[in-house]
Amino acid sequence: MNKIYFRAIEGKSSQYFIALVIFGGLAAIGMLVTYLMYDLGLGFKGGEDSILEPLGRLTGMNSRVPWGLGIVMAIYYIGLSAGSLVISALSSVFGQKEYKPFGRMGVYLSILLIIAALMSIILDWGRPDRIVNPFIYFNPSSMFSINTLLYSVYMFIGFLYLLAMFAENEKWVGRIALLAVFWAVLVHSGTGFIFGGTLRELYESPLLVPSFVAAALSSGTALIILVIQITFKAANRKLDTELIKGLSKLLAVFIIVVLYFITVENLFRGYVAKSREAEWYFLFGENFHQVLNGDWKAFFTPRSAGNIHHFMFWIGLILVGTILPALILFIKKLKDSITWINLASLMVVVGVLCERYIIVIPGQTNKVELVKGAKVIFKDSIDKLAGTITNANDVSMGIAQYNISLSEILQAVGIGSLVVFAFLLGVKLFDLLPTEAKALSTESPATSSSSEQEKD
Amino acid sequence: MSDPVKKPIDRRSFIKMGTLVGAGTVASYGLTLLPAIQKERELPGASDSKDPKPIWRMIIDSRKCVDDCKDCIKACRTENNVHEDLFWIRKATIVREMANGQKLEVTAPMLCNQCDNPPCHQVCPVNATFIRPDDIVDVDKHRCIGCRYCVIGCPYDVRLFNFYENPAKATDDNMNPIYPIRMHGVAESCNFCASKLDKEKYIGKPHPSTACADACQAAGHNAIVFGDLNKPDSPASKKIAELVKNKVMAKGLREDLGTKPKVLYIGL
C-alpha cells in the first residue's frame, strides 16, 4: 500500500479569511449573549426602555422546563464527536485500511466537538464561574459527576490519539484507537443514562442508553461524509468517491439501527397502560385528546408555538432523519450517486438534531402527576416562571411550554461557529489533511476513473 | 529528504509530549482535589449526645385546610425571603372527577417533600444539595453550579431555579433581614425552615417548628402539623397517635417512586 502523506493547507486565499472572519464573528456574538445570560440570569427580560428589549427573555427555559436548547446541542455534539472518532478509528481498529486518510481529521474534529459539547453544558449553567466545583466535590452517585470524569478523560484520549497519529507510531495508534472507541461508547452510554435514569415518564427507559450510541454513530458518520467532501473540495485535494460510498453503506446500517430503537421504544410505551397517555402526548402533541377523537386539525395547531416536538418527531426524525435517507441509501439507482449520498447525510445530520430535541424537551413538558388519577391545580400560587400553559379551567401541572429564544439560538450558533473556526485554523496549522485519498485498488477496480472525475 | 512532506515527530519527542500532557492533567486534577481532602466543615443540625437524632415529619390534613387561606404561603415568604416570582409552598386544589359528573375536591399545601431518599441529592454533581445530620435536605447555594439536574430529577417539581435576580429588596417590609435575598443562577427549595429550627433549638424552644406550620396553627386551622417523632409530646407525635386511634391513613405523594417523603398527607 502506498504511503499516505498529510500536509497542512496553505490558507492564503481570500475565501479562507472571509470564512474565518464570518465564523469568528458569529462565535463572538454567541459569547457576548452567553455573558449576558451569566450576568443577568438565564431568564432575564429587559424592560421596554432597555437595549436588551429586542432579545426578549434571554432563554425560554422555566421552572417546568429547566433544560433547553443548550442541553439539546450538548448531547448532539457529544454524539457527533463519538461518531467521528469511530470513523477515524475504522482503519486501525476495524481493519478498514482505506479510511486511514481520514484518521487525523476525524480525531481532530471529535476533539473540537467534545469541547463544543462541554461548552454547551457549562455555558448553560447558572454559575459557569464555578467550573472547578464538579472536580473538587465529586459525587459518585450522580451520573453527571461520573460524566464529568468520562468527558474529560475522553478529551485527553483524543489528544493522545492525535499525537500518536502525528508521530506515525502505528502500534500506539492501534492501542489508543481501541481505547478511544471503548471510551466513546462509555461517554455516550453515560449521557444516555442521565435521561434514561430520571424519574419522568418520557425519560425513564434503559433503551435510551443504546439508542444514544446508535444515534451518535449515524449522525457522526453523516457529518464526516459532508465534512470530508467540503474540506477536500475547498483544499483542492483528490478524493476517491469510492470511500464516500463505503462510508454511506455504514451510514445506512446505522440509520436502520436508530429506526429500530425508536420503534421499539415507542411501541413499548404505547403498549404499557402506565405510560400510554404520555406516549400519545409524545406522538400527537398537546392536543392528543382531539387528535385521537379524529380531529386531525388539532395536530397542527398547538396552543403554544414552542410545543412542536410532534412535528419534529414525524417530519424531522421519522421522515427526514430515517425513512428518506434509508430509502436513498438502499435504492440501487440512488445509492451510487454522490449527490444523493450527500443529501441523505445532510438529512441524517438534521434528523438526529431533531431526535436530540425530542429526547430532551417533551420529557419535561409532559404533565406531572403529583396525585395519580387526579388533577392538581395551583390556583393563585403558580410560579411566574412555571411556563405552564394556563387556561381558565386548565391543570397547572399539565403541559408546560418551551419557546426557544433568540439568545439561545445565537449561543448555539456561536458554539457551532467556534467549531468551524477551530477546524479551519487546524487544517492550516497542523498536517491534518492527506494529499490524496483513494480506495484500495484491489477492492474497487473503478478507482482510477472516479478519481479522475474529482480532479476538476 | 527531497520529499515536501514535513518530517513526522520521532518517537522520543512523542513520548515526551505525551508525558507532559499527562503529567499536566494529573497535576491540575490533584490541585483541585486538595480542598476536598481537608476536613468537611461541621454541618448545622448535628445532634449532641443527650439529644437523639430528630425524626422530622410534617402531616398535612387536607380535611382541615381552608380554601381561601394563604397564611402558610405568606409566612414562608417572610421567613425565607423566597424569590418573588416563585413559591416554595403552594396551595393546591386536588380534583378527582367521578363518573357521574360529580367532583371530589380538596385543598392542601404542597411543598418540598424532604424525601428520605432524595433524587435531588443523588443527582447533584457537586454535592451542593446535601443531607443535614438531622436528615433535612438543604442546598449550599455557594457551591451550586446551576446545572438544574436536580430540577429535572425532582418528580414533585418543587426544586426551583432562580432564573433572574429576586426583584424584591432586602429593605422591603415583608422580608426577613436575617437571611439574604435569593441570588440568581442557583437552584433552591424548601428546607423545612432549617435555620429557624436551629435557632429555636438553640434558644431552647421545646418543639421547633416551620413557619408554615406556625402560621397554620395561628390561623386556627391546624392543617399543617410539624414535629419530631422522637419526642412523644411533639405536635407530630400527638397527631400520629390521634390518627392511629381513629384508624386514619396518612401517606406521602407518589410513594411508588421510592423517594420516601417526610411530608405525609391525609385525605388525598
Side-chain angles (χ1 to χ4, degrees), chain B residues 15 21 24 43 55 57 69 72-73 75-76 78 146 178 191 194 207 214 217 220 231 239 264:
Chain B
I15 292 172
V21 172
L43 295 168
I55 306 173
R57 285 290 181 276
C69 162
C72 50
I73 298 174
C76 178
T78 315
I178 298 172
N191 54 4
H207 301 299
D214 283 353
Q217 202 176 17
K231 291 182 182 165
K239 182 82 183 176
L264 303 174

Side-chain angles (χ1 to χ4, degrees), chain A residues 39 42-43 64 66-67 124-127 130 133 137 139 141-142 145 152 200 369 375 377 381 383-384, chain B residues 29 85 87 90-91 93 95 122-126 141 143-148 151-152 157 163 184 254:
Chain A
D39 191 38
L42 293 171
R64 286 288 310 280
W67 277 355
D124 191 55
W125 290 353
R127 297 300 303 256
R130 295 176 182 172
N133 283 14
Y137 310 112
N139 177 9
S141 74
S142 164
S145 238
S152 38
R200 293 194 180 227
E369 278 190 294
K375 284 181 180 176
I377 304 167
S381 48
D383 302 326
K384 263 195 199 153
Chain B
Y29 261 94
D85 296 338
F87 289 82
R90 305 165 181 153
K91 268 306 270 299
T93 308
V95 186
Q122 186 201 344
V123 302
C124 182
V126 294
K141 66 173 182 177
R143 189 188 281 193
C144 175
I145 53 175
C147 69
R148 309 187 288 288
V151 187
I152 292 278
D157 216 70
F163 277 98
H184 76 73
R254 293 299 307 274

Side-chain angles (χ1 to χ4, degrees), chain A residues 192-449:
Chain A
F193 204 101
I194 283 195
F195 296 94
T198 299
L199 292 173
R200 293 194 180 227
E201 222 135 44
L202 288 172
Y203 278 169
E204 198 187 345
S205 151
L207 207 58
L208 265 184
V209 177
S211 85
F212 253 69
V213 181
L217 291 175
S218 76
S219 65
T221 313
L223 182 76
I224 206 116
I225 286 176
L226 295 175
V227 170
I228 285 171
Q229 290 182 75
I230 293 169
T231 20
F232 273 65
K233 189 140 210 175
N236 261 330
R237 302 276 163 96
K238 263 182 277 173
L239 177 65
D240 188 345
T241 45
E242 284 305 310
L243 292 176
I244 297 300
K245 283 175 198 165
L247 285 178
S248 78
K249 279 175 199 148
L250 211 57
L251 178 62
V253 176
F254 291 147
I255 294 170
I256 295 303
V257 177
V258 169
L259 191 58
Y260 172 72
F261 276 124
I262 294 166
T263 316
V264 169
E265 185 163 21
N266 287 297
L267 274 180
F268 183 83
R269 268 205 232 109
Y271 187 80
V272 178
K274 187 180 89 169
S275 52
R276 196 171 297 149
E277 205 173 319
E279 179 61 24
W280 294 147
Y281 169 64
F282 184 76
L283 292 182
F284 303 119
E286 54 185 308
N287 296 330
F288 63 89
H289 285 297
Q290 283 124 286
V291 175
L292 289 177
N293 287 334
D295 178 13
W296 278 94
K297 270 182 206 156
F299 182 88
F300 299 101
T301 50
R303 279 176 295 171
S304 147
N307 292 32
I308 48 164
H309 64 267
H310 49 299
F311 300 156
M312 288 209 174
F313 178 78
W314 290 110
I315 299 169
L317 176 59
I318 296 297
L319 193 68
V320 174
T322 48
I323 304 265
L324 286 182
L327 280 179
I328 289 174
L329 296 176
F330 280 103
I331 289 176
K332 259 195 185 153
K333 271 187 189 166
L334 302 179
K335 73 176 180 185
D336 285 334
S337 144
I338 289 295
T339 325
W340 282 101
I341 290 176
N342 286 348
L343 185 67
S345 306
L346 190 65
M347 282 175 167
V348 172
V349 170
V350 174
V352 172
L353 180 58
C354 290
E355 197 234 357
R356 295 328 196 189
Y357 183 89
I358 60 170
I359 284 176
V360 177
I361 305 298
Q364 303 170 63
T365 51
N366 187 24
K367 66 177 183 181
V368 176
E369 278 190 294
L370 292 175
V371 181
K372 275 275 175 196
K375 284 181 180 176
V376 176
I377 304 167
F378 297 118
K379 269 182 188 152
D380 309 309
S381 48
I382 183 76
D383 302 326
K384 263 195 199 153
L385 294 171
T388 308
I389 306 164
T390 40
N391 287 348
N393 51 356
D394 201 356
V395 191
S396 305
M397 296 310 275
I399 312 289
Q401 60 177 330
Y402 170 69
N403 297 308
I404 301 176
S405 76
L406 177 63
S407 319
E408 278 176 289
I409 293 172
L410 287 178
Q411 187 191 37
V413 169
I415 293 171
S417 306
L418 208 58
V419 173
V420 182
F421 184 79
F423 188 77
L424 285 175
L425 274 187
V427 291
K428 184 178 176 174
L429 295 178
F430 311 118
D431 296 339
L432 293 173
L433 287 187
T435 45
E436 63 174 336
K438 58 182 177 187
L440 296 179
S441 47
T442 47
E443 281 187 12
S444 52
T447 306
S448 51
S449 63

Side-chain angles (χ1 to χ4, degrees), chain A residues 165-205:
Chain A
M165 280 185 167
F166 279 136
E168 300 203 342
N169 186 332
E170 284 304 317
K171 205 166 79 185
W172 274 100
V173 166
R175 287 176 187 169
I176 299 173
L178 195 63
L179 179 66
V181 169
F182 169 72
W183 208 267
V185 173
L186 217 57
V187 158
H188 235 75
S189 307
T191 315
F193 204 101
I194 283 195
F195 296 94
T198 299
L199 292 173
R200 293 194 180 227
E201 222 135 44
L202 288 172
Y203 278 169
E204 198 187 345
S205 151

Side-chain angles (χ1 to χ4, degrees), chain B residues 82-141:
Chain B
V82 180
H83 192 294
E84 201 168 68
D85 296 338
L86 297 173
F87 289 82
W88 283 7
I89 181 169
R90 305 165 181 153
K91 268 306 270 299
T93 308
I94 299 109
V95 186
R96 198 179 283 271
E97 277 166 21
M98 304 318 275
N100 56 0
Q102 276 183 321
K103 279 179 185 173
L104 290 179
E105 200 172 311
V106 291
T107 55
M110 282 192 179
L111 65 162
C112 172
N113 284 289
Q114 294 289 339
C115 310
D116 279 339
N117 189 8
C120 51
H121 166 70
Q122 186 201 344
V123 302
C124 182
V126 294
N127 274 322
T129 307
F130 62 100
I131 302 178
R132 300 186 354 145
D134 58 353
D135 281 352
I136 288 179
V137 183
D138 204 349
V139 186
D140 182 350
K141 66 173 182 177

